[in-house]
Each structure stands twice: as structure tokens, then as C-alpha cells.
Amino acid sequence: MHELIDYIQNYLKSDQTPGAAGNVFWATVYILLVFLGLSVAVIAMNWLERKILAHMQVRLGPMRVGPHGLLQPIADAIKLLLKEDIIPAEADAFIFWIAPFMVVLAAFTVFVVVPFGPTHAITDMNIGILFMLGVSSLSVLGIVMAGWASNSHYPLIGALRSSAQMVSYEVAMGLAVLSVILLTSLQGSGLGLYGIGAANPQAYGTLSMIGIVQAQQEQGVWFIFKFFPLGLIGFFIFAIAMVAETNRAPFDLPEAESELTAGFHTEYSGFRWSLFFLAEYSAMIAVSSIAVTLWLGGWLRPFPNALNGPTWDLVFSLIPGISFLLLAAMCFYNVARMPKHPLFKIQTMGLAGFGAVLGLIGVVMFIPAVRDRVNDVFWFAAKVAGFMYLYIWYRGTFPRYRFDQLMKVGWRILLPLGLALLILTAAMGMRTELWNQFQEVVHGL
């Protein structure tokens, strides 16, 4: 028994991820926490998207189920679980059944290497970014299986669109990621926007997700600003490609309601349909996590080098707790504004209880031990939340592209831009060596 307790406690003193430390217990705990956190995030995203889109369109959105419709996602989940599960008579039953699980499995597996902090990841692979890109691409296999197994025209067209879309944008996305990997090979502390460090033939980059964030920390600049505007262009390419990869508006051609009824999941209902829904939001969070890790410093707080020192560290460490207290204050403000009618009594109490829970979380986050432990996770989650808001903003703003326009953007704009970015990034990183070679050639003439 003492050996088991020591096995559990010893990891708390480690500076490695559970997978790297070989601790099965904490790896299991992290897997359960990621699964639970992702499920809660999908529920929250469902409610937020409906409310934000409603306010953008001068509507109220969900208001009936719970205070301000907070319980609407739970009501929807119960409804989907109770709905009849229908498999078309002419469908390939086994593939039809397994396709949604394939999509969900690909979306969730990506999070094995997502670093929420220097040690807050299930494991750290030396090919982490390749693993993420490879596994996230497998989701299209489930979509193609769903469209083909349905034995219906609309789902099949939606599935083929999805596969064409993925191929088109994966190439540009890969080139943008390669430019970041090149940047990790620059060796030196505090290099800043344009620094490249001393020439070192032995220098090499890293594919580790944690290593990419540490490279940004060492160089003293987020890669979105590195070799400005090259880093920003790479981020721009990835940001467009990741919207197309997740089949979201304005690139939601595989499930275009006006043309294909509902696209590849037209024949699905109930629980199986909800799995596609869960996978879509999980994939959005996954690609947002990749973007945050590669270009926005991962778990690093804003201005870690410009605003450093114990005082600034303390100020930024208090922001998570203050944020939750502000959310609690917003809840209590809305409680005060609720109608004083008896029919609104339960809703008022529910909103007050939700505000009290948020306030309690905020207070707990001021405890030094908790504050130091969750600070990295908070900043990572806040950056990902910014991307999730952009997804909603795009959906409420842009009209859907035609399919030929979608292909044109992928092949004629993003692909040449990605190739040029890769060449220019390499040239900027080796500009000293290239200049010396040029001078030697000139002197030789």
C-alpha cells in the first residue's frame, strides 16, 4: 500500500508529463480530465454559439430551459439519447454504425499530445505535431464511410466534398506548420523579432509540441510575430485552412443544407448524429490548440519577456481568479434584473446558484498552490476560447462559398502562398550564410 502511495506522490515532484515519466496512474487521471473537460467545453460551446449568434442577429436565443437557456444543451442531449436510432434498409449497417465512432475517436485522440502546460499533457512525443496532423486527418475517413454506407446520393456527395476539401487545405496547412518547425531550429536566448543567433551547423528544430512552446519562450517572441510579417502570414494560412478542415462556415460545403439536405449525416439520427456533432466541436478545439501552440506561445502568459519579474508574475497569476469573479458578478447582475414574477423564481435561483459556483471557483484560484498549478492551463484555454469565438463570428458574418471558389482559394491562393512562406522563412533564418555565400561568389568573379 505504501508503495502505491509513493508511486502516486512521486510524480507530483516530477517536471515531466505522466507519459514521459511512465506513471500510468496520473496518465489515466489526465485522460479522464481531458475527456471530461472536452465534454464540458463542447456543451458550453453549443450554448455560447446559439446565444452569440442570436445576439449578432438581434435575437435572444435559448431562454426557456433554465436561466438564460443554460440547461438547453442538457435538454438537447437527453432528447437525442431518447430518439429512435434508424438505419436505412439499404445501408451497409456495420460501416454505418462504426463511422461516427471513427470521427469521434480521431477528434479525441489528438489531445494525447496537446500541452496545456509544461507538464500538463498526457504525454510528449518527439513527433508530436506530426501525430496531431496525422490523427486529425483521419476524421475524414469516418465522414467518407458515413456518406458511402448511407447508400444515398446526398450523403455521398457530402462525403466526397469533405475528402476533396481536406486534401486541398491539408497541403497549405502542412506548409505553414513546416515554417514554424524551421523557426524552432534557431538557437539563442532572447532573439526577438528578427534575431537568428549564431550560425550552428549542429542546430536542429523540434516536432515536440512542448518543445515548440519552449522555443518561443527561449527566443523571447511568439512565432506569430517572428520575422514579421512572415509569422503572421503563416498563422493566416493555418487559420483559414483549419476552418476548412473542420467543415465550418463559410467552408461548410460537406453539409450544405441548401443543396444536400444535411450532407454526409443526412441519414443519421439520435445518438449517432450527436456523435458527429461532438466530433465537430472537438475538432475545432483541437485545431485551435495546434494554432495556439505553434504561433501564440501555448501556455505562456501575454508579454512574458517585456513584463517580467515577481511583481508582474503575481499580477498575471491573479487574472484567472479575477476573471471567474467577474463572470460571477455578471450572473448576479442578471439575477437582479430578472422579473420578480413567481414563475421566474426557479430560474432566478438557478442563475444565482451558477454565479455562486463561479465565484467559489474564482476564490479557490487565489490560493497560491492552486494559482501556480492552473495558471498555465488558464492562459492556454483563454487563447483557445478566442479561436472558438472567431468560429462563431465567421458563421454569423460570411456567406457560404461555392465549391469551385473553395477549391480556388485552396489551390490557387493558399498553396502558392505557403510555398513562398516556406522559402522566405528559410532564407530569413539563413540570411547570414546566404550573404556570405553571395560575397564569396562576387569576390570569385
Side-chain angles (χ1 to χ4, degrees):
M1 188 64 181
H2 290 294
E3 292 179 359
L4 179 61
I5 294 173
D6 290 340
Y7 178 74
I8 295 171
Q9 290 180 339
N10 284 339
Y11 173 72
L12 298 176
K13 304 171 186 176
S14 172
D15 58 354
Q16 295 179 305
T17 62
N23 194 303
V24 178
F25 173 81
W26 283 106
T28 306
V29 170
Y30 271 52
I31 290 170
L32 294 175
L33 286 175
V34 168
F35 180 80
L36 180 64
L38 198 56
S39 302
V40 172
V42 169
I43 292 172
M45 182 64 185
N46 171 252
W47 179 81
L48 284 169
E49 181 166 25
R50 295 167 73 172
K51 294 295 282 188
I52 292 170
L53 284 174
H55 286 293
M56 286 179 176
Q57 299 163 358
V58 200
R59 298 185 290 108
L60 290 176
M63 290 292 290
R64 296 285 184 180
V65 188
H68 288 270
L70 280 170
L71 300 180
Q72 187 66 55
I74 297 174
D76 290 342
I78 294 172
K79 177 192 73 175
L80 290 168
L81 286 171
L82 296 178
K83 285 184 74 172
E84 182 181 1
D85 184 23
I86 300 171
I87 298 179
E90 300 300 322
D92 188 318
F94 177 72
I95 297 179
F96 187 88
W97 182 86
I98 203 173
F101 292 97
M102 178 76 72
V103 179
V104 171
L105 187 64
F108 274 78
T109 306
V110 168
F111 289 89
V112 168
V113 291
V114 171
F116 302 96
T119 59
H120 297 147
I122 296 172
T123 189
D124 180 36
M125 298 183 185
N126 57 2
I127 55 165
I129 187 63
L130 285 181
F131 177 86
M132 288 192 76
L133 291 175
V135 172
S136 62
S137 301
L138 288 176
S139 61
V140 77
L141 179 60
I143 291 174
V144 171
M145 289 168 62
W148 182 84
S150 297
N151 197 21
S152 177
H153 298 300
Y154 290 149
L156 182 59
I157 294 171
L160 293 176
R161 280 185 173 187
S162 183
S163 57
Q165 191 168 312
M166 190 212 76
V167 171
S168 300
Y169 284 85
E170 274 282 312
V171 180
M173 180 185 282
L175 292 171
V177 170
L178 278 175
S179 68
V180 169
I181 295 170
L182 288 179
L183 294 176
T184 62
S185 64
L186 301 176
Q187 304 290 322
S189 179
L191 296 180
L193 288 180
Y194 296 100
I196 58 174
N200 181 8
Q202 304 300 320
Y204 54 88
T206 179
L207 298 177
S208 161
M209 298 292 284
I210 292 178
I212 291 171
V213 178
Q214 290 172 340
Q216 295 174 71
Q217 187 175 24
E218 181 186 4
Q219 295 182 33
V221 62
W222 292 356
F223 284 159
I224 190 174
F225 302 116
K226 189 70 177 179
F227 296 154
F228 188 84
L230 296 183
L232 184 60
I233 293 171
F235 173 76
F236 174 75
I237 293 171
F238 189 91
I240 294 176
M242 77 182 197
V243 177
E245 278 284 299
T246 50
N247 299 329
R248 290 283 298 186
F251 302 132
D252 54 341
L253 275 301
E255 49 191 68
E257 297 91 350
S258 58
E259 307 159 28
L260 304 176
T261 310
F264 60 87
H265 53 64
T266 298
E267 304 293 345
Y268 283 85
S269 63
F271 177 67
R272 297 187 207 283
W273 179 88
S274 68
L275 289 178
F276 284 113
F277 189 78
L278 174 65
E280 178 181 317
Y281 282 98
S282 300
M284 289 161 57
I285 297 172
V287 292
S288 299
S289 300
I290 298 175
V292 165
T293 303
L294 267 58
W295 280 278
L296 297 179
W299 63 81
L300 301 178
R301 65 171 176 80
F303 314 111
N305 298 288
L307 303 177
N308 55 14
T311 304
W312 282 112
D313 288 342
L314 177 62
V315 169
F316 279 100
S317 69
L318 296 176
I319 291 178
I322 293 172
S323 300
F324 275 89
L325 290 180
L326 287 174
L327 290 173
M330 289 172 61
C331 289
F332 291 128
Y333 173 71
N334 282 288
V335 166
R337 294 178 61 217
M338 292 282 276
K340 308 306 178 188
H341 194 279
L343 292 177
F344 284 88
K345 185 176 181 181
I346 295 177
Q347 295 220 7
T348 304
M349 292 174 61
L351 188 58
F354 185 64
V357 171
L358 291 175
L360 180 61
I361 294 173
V363 171
V364 169
M365 283 191 170
F366 288 119
I367 300 173
V370 177
R371 185 180 68 205
D372 297 339
R373 197 73 179 173
V374 303
N375 203 37
D376 300 328
V377 179
F378 172 83
W379 288 115
F380 186 92
K383 295 172 186 176
V384 171
F387 275 101
M388 303 308 286
Y389 178 77
L390 288 177
Y391 271 112
I392 300 171
W393 194 0
Y394 297 157
R395 183 176 177 182
T397 306
F398 300 118
R400 181 181 292 132
Y401 274 54
R402 291 200 319 264
F403 196 69
D404 62 308
Q405 294 172 328
L406 180 77
M407 293 294 106
K408 181 179 178 180
V409 170
W411 291 106
R412 294 189 181 181
I413 299 176
L414 293 187
L415 179 58
L417 200 60
L419 286 169
L421 170 71
L422 188 62
I423 294 168
L424 290 173
T425 303
M428 283 292 292
M430 297 185 64
R431 61 182 184 266
T432 304
E433 292 86 342
L434 291 173
W435 177 248
N436 291 337
Q437 289 283 348
F438 176 74
Q439 287 182 319
E440 289 179 11
V441 170
V442 171
H443 290 313
L445 295 175

